[in-house]
Amino acid sequence: HDMSGVKDGQWIDEEPGVWAHHKHFRELTGIRHLKLPYRLITWMRDPVARCLSQYYFLTGTRSMSKSNISDFIFEGKCANFQYESITEPGSDPIHTFRRYDFIGITEDFSASMLVVKYILNLTLHDILYVPAKDSHGGGYDDRGNKFVPSIPLAEQPVEIQKLFESHKFQEANKNDYEIYAQAKVKLLRYMNSIPNFHKELAIYNTMLREVALKCTPPIRKKVDESDCYWNDNGCGYHCIDAYSDAHRNQTSLYIRNE
């Protein structure tokens, strides 16, 4: 779509543009200087699942922490982590939630992507992707570290499950839980209001499976950045573009027939 910001993680140098990266919202000082209308979209996941994922990533994949899981939970890395990332100074959960055009849900990723399609007036081909940084799919991160799979809450020892269920953890993540719950409600409203949403979601998931089979890059210790937008972002896009070119008319006809 000829937009700036696609090929690197720097703030856009001209409008229209797209920016997607791991940053705290308060660091995005350039947003106040935008002249064109913009959409603000982010993602959240269940606070427990996010905490466990970070624990295994930092202690396993990156070996940056030697904490045991019970200590890690209350070291501060699992206390409103998402809220602190997406909020503005002096804000609160209600205003933070309203600040965003949409907050996607990781556990309902495909449905959230389909909502983004409608918000941004895109096509199904615009939102195709192959997964990256899937700790359960093997492979390496962008530093060459082999992924260590996270262990879900249901498979954790009973004492660890109780820590996550404790009032202390719930209170430490109160803002995360509040926005996450509101985002899930808003997603459901979109799903119920968009015509033929579930039929299109089924088509989209079929396309994603086909793209995953055709376009998932081979596992390497170092990412082939020539096939990525930048670093390990948007990898496999040459193959995805070819898939889209070959199936665009077929998909449009299928959706109309549905």
Side-chain angles (χ1 to χ4, degrees):
H1 294 286
D2 196 28
M3 302 178 78
S4 71
V6 174
K7 292 291 188 177
D8 60 54
Q10 304 303 313
W11 184 250
I12 60 174
D13 51 17
E14 59 182 36
E15 301 177 65
V18 59
W19 184 88
H21 203 1
H22 298 291
K23 290 281 186 181
H24 286 79
F25 182 79
R26 59 178 174 269
E27 298 178 59
L28 305 185
T29 55
I31 202 167
R32 66 175 68 106
H33 302 298
L34 295 175
K35 296 179 173 60
L36 295 177
Y38 63 88
R39 297 285 194 175
L40 198 59
I41 296 171
T42 192
W43 243 255
M44 290 188 74
R45 68 188 298 186
D46 175 80
V48 172
R50 193 218 62 81
C51 178
L52 284 169
S53 177
Q54 187 178 25
Y55 170 76
Y56 287 102
F57 181 71
L58 292 181
T59 61
T61 302
R62 290 279 172 90
S63 300
M64 295 170 63
S65 172
K66 297 188 182 301
S67 300
N68 61 49
I69 193 166
S70 57
D71 290 336
F72 184 89
I73 292 172
F74 300 114
E75 281 179 347
K77 297 181 180 68
C78 292
N80 286 327
F81 181 92
Q82 297 172 97
Y83 173 74
E84 295 300 330
S85 297
I86 68 174
T87 194
E88 297 175 285
S91 189
D92 57 51
I94 293 175
H95 288 91
T96 297
F97 177 74
R98 292 174 178 170
R99 182 76 171 85
Y100 287 82
D101 292 278
F102 181 64
I103 297 178
I105 300 297
T106 299
E107 290 82 3
D108 289 305
F109 199 87
S110 291
S112 297
M113 287 298 293
L114 199 53
V115 171
V116 170
K117 166 189 174 293
Y118 279 91
I119 291 174
L120 300 182
N121 194 28
L122 303 172
T123 70
L124 288 176
H125 295 277
D126 291 322
I127 58 172
L128 292 176
Y129 69 94
V130 291
K133 296 186 174 75
D134 178 7
S135 65
H136 294 274
Y140 301 82
D141 69 1
D142 58 338
R143 300 183 186 179
N145 300 302
K146 189 170 181 59
F147 284 122
V148 174
S150 59
I151 300 174
L153 180 65
E155 298 176 20
Q156 294 289 338
V158 173
E159 59 269 23
I160 298 300
Q161 294 185 35
K162 288 182 177 179
L163 285 178
F164 280 112
E165 294 166 358
S166 69
H167 177 75
K168 183 177 181 180
F169 180 83
Q170 302 292 316
E171 222 15 65
N173 290 276
K174 182 179 180 180
N175 294 342
D176 271 14
Y177 275 113
E178 182 174 344
I179 298 179
Y180 180 72
Q182 292 185 67
K184 290 181 71 174
V185 170
K186 189 171 183 177
L187 171 61
L188 186 59
R189 286 175 181 164
Y190 269 115
M191 293 171 67
N192 290 331
S193 64
I194 296 173
N196 299 315
F197 184 89
H198 292 283
K199 289 182 178 179
E200 191 169 6
L201 180 60
I203 295 169
Y204 178 51
N205 282 327
T206 296
M207 294 170 68
L208 286 176
R209 287 192 292 271
E210 292 176 352
V211 163
L213 287 172
K214 293 176 179 292
C215 303
T216 299
I219 293 175
R220 296 189 179 99
K221 192 164 187 178
K222 182 171 176 54
V223 172
D224 177 11
E225 295 189 29
S226 66
D227 194 33
C228 306
Y229 285 140
W230 63 275
N231 198 8
D232 58 353
N233 295 267
C235 295
Y237 77 91
H238 291 107
C239 176
I240 295 173
D241 288 349
Y243 172 91
S244 295
D245 291 341
H247 293 81
R248 196 174 301 276
N249 293 334
Q250 175 186 342
T251 305
S252 299
L253 179 63
Y254 186 28
I255 292 174
R256 286 199 300 271
N257 290 339
E258 285 289 314

